[in-house]
Every structure is written in structure tokens, then in C-alpha cells.
Amino acid sequence: MNIDFKSNKLRKQLSSASEIKRHFGSNAKRVTTRLADMEAADNLAILNQVPAANCHSLSGDRKGQWAVNISPNHRLIFEIMNHPIPMIRINEINLKLVDSIRLLKIEDYH
């Protein structure tokens, strides 16, 4: 999957194991694993099949954003970058055709 970053700051935070450890501490290993899952997936449908990732779309004021689990409370939040977003029917995205995402942030939004 093609992965872009919302900011250079986030790109730097996720650029190496030492940076990930520095910024995410005890969650560093999980962050690294989730990034590896995203990089290995050809599309969002494959990422959606990784049970530990719990890939899911968000709602409310985060509509259009997606998340994967880092810890019980922390999520890696991203958005689909395919334009136009491939649809099967109204309000149903064709996840097999989604192959480009932008990472937005890692946060505890609970």
C-alpha cells in the first residue's frame, strides 16, 4: 500500500525504530508492527483481515477517517487517498481498490 504522511513531523516520528521508541515509548513495538502490517498489505481489504489491527472506519466528526489499534486506547488514524474513493454502492467502499492512504496521527481519542 502507498503510505503518505500528513506532516513531516509524523514522518520523522515514524522513520526509524529509535524515533518510534523515543516518541511512543511502551507502544513502540505495536506501532512498528502496525506500520509493517500497512506496508505489507496490497490494499485496505487485506489490512482489514489482520485481527490485531482491528481496522475500522470512524464516524461522527471523524467521518472519512479510519483507524487501526495500537493499544487498547491508542489508534493510528489515517484517511484514504484514492481519488475518487472506489465505491461498490452508495456508502460502501471497495476496500480491494484502496491502495493509497495518508497517516494523520497516533492518539488516544477515547
Side-chain angles (χ1 to χ4, degrees), residues 77-96:
I77 302 165
F78 64 94
E79 62 188 359
I80 295 172
M81 292 305 296
N82 293 73
H83 291 289
I85 293 175
M87 303 298 285
I88 295 172
R89 53 182 86 80
I90 296 174
N91 294 327
E92 188 176 351
I93 297 172
N94 187 341
L95 300 180
K96 290 181 182 179

Side-chain angles (χ1 to χ4, degrees), residues 5 23 27 51 53 61 84-85 88 91 101:
F5 299 85
H23 292 283
N27 287 323
D61 62 344
I85 293 175
I88 295 172
N91 294 327
I101 61 173

Side-chain angles (χ1 to χ4, degrees), residues 52-102:
N54 186 31
C55 183
H56 56 283
S57 62
L58 302 178
S59 59
D61 62 344
R62 292 184 178 268
K63 186 174 171 121
Q65 296 179 350
W66 290 68
V68 291
N69 290 3
I70 298 297
S71 71
N73 287 342
H74 291 85
R75 305 290 183 265
L76 179 99
I77 302 165
F78 64 94
E79 62 188 359
I80 295 172
M81 292 305 296
N82 293 73
H83 291 289
I85 293 175
M87 303 298 285
I88 295 172
R89 53 182 86 80
I90 296 174
N91 294 327
E92 188 176 351
I93 297 172
N94 187 341
L95 300 180
K96 290 181 182 179
L97 297 179
V98 174
D99 61 359
S100 185
I101 61 173
R102 175 183 293 149

Side-chain angles (χ1 to χ4, degrees), residues 11-81:
R11 181 186 309 273
K12 184 176 180 194
Q13 289 175 343
L14 300 174
S15 65
S16 67
S18 61
E19 286 292 322
I20 292 171
K21 178 69 174 168
R22 190 173 126 210
H23 292 283
F24 302 105
S26 62
N27 287 323
K29 185 173 182 178
R30 290 186 207 119
V31 169
T32 302
T33 300
R34 220 44 74 227
L35 285 173
D37 291 342
M38 293 175 140
E39 290 170 353
D42 290 333
N43 56 56
L44 197 53
I46 292 171
L47 182 62
N48 202 32
Q49 294 175 0
V50 177
N54 186 31
C55 183
H56 56 283
S57 62
L58 302 178
S59 59
D61 62 344
R62 292 184 178 268
K63 186 174 171 121
Q65 296 179 350
W66 290 68
V68 291
N69 290 3
I70 298 297
S71 71
N73 287 342
H74 291 85
R75 305 290 183 265
L76 179 99
I77 302 165
F78 64 94
E79 62 188 359
I80 295 172
M81 292 305 296

